[in-house]
Amino acid sequence: MAITDYISASTLQAEGWVNVADAEQMFEKLDKSYLAARGYTDASRLAGIRISLNQAAGVVGISTTTLGSYANLGYIQVGDDGKVSLLDALAFDYAAAKRKELDNKRRMKLR
């Protein structure tokens, strides 16, 4: 017999339990000190900081032209001012983007 057969979902939720299918609610219930103890930090305040494409390339560790190419492909957003969010630059996964583009090129050759 499932626990929800005799304890309602709303009662469980009121006690702090959430269903794993509700990722947003799970994140809200997650203790921030638990994350901090495991090396995570809240980087949301970096989202408002805009840096040049050249500086972003330095953060990522690739050339400005290479980052510009990936920006043109939609992997990173460049604003009308020619700048990108520092948080986007920190989150940009060059290796994954490169793999994806190589896979796309291979698929194009096979067609």
Side-chain angles (χ1 to χ4, degrees):
M1 175 183 281
I3 193 168
T4 53
D5 289 344
Y6 55 92
I7 301 175
S8 71
S10 59
T11 301
L12 288 169
Q13 191 173 357
E15 293 296 318
W17 293 89
V18 294
N19 192 303
V20 294
D22 192 345
E24 184 177 328
Q25 196 173 55
M26 285 182 64
F27 184 73
E28 287 174 6
K29 296 281 185 186
L30 193 60
D31 182 15
K32 304 306 184 235
S33 61
Y34 175 85
L35 291 172
R38 281 148 185 82
Y40 290 90
T41 187
D42 180 12
S44 60
R45 65 186 178 278
L46 302 177
I49 300 173
R50 311 279 299 159
I51 59 175
S52 70
L53 198 61
N54 188 40
Q55 290 171 320
V59 168
V60 175
I62 59 177
S63 73
T64 304
T65 54
T66 300
L67 185 59
S69 297
Y70 282 95
N72 289 337
L73 293 168
Y75 287 95
I76 191 166
Q77 296 296 320
V78 179
D80 294 335
D81 58 358
K83 295 185 175 188
V84 300
S85 163
L86 176 57
L87 188 57
D88 287 348
L90 290 169
F92 180 70
D93 187 349
Y94 171 65
K98 185 176 179 180
R99 266 192 313 275
K100 186 173 180 182
E101 283 306 305
L102 289 173
D103 287 344
N104 288 343
K105 288 179 182 179
R106 283 188 197 111
R107 280 191 220 111
M108 294 290 277
K109 284 183 181 179
L110 293 175
R111 290 182 187 179

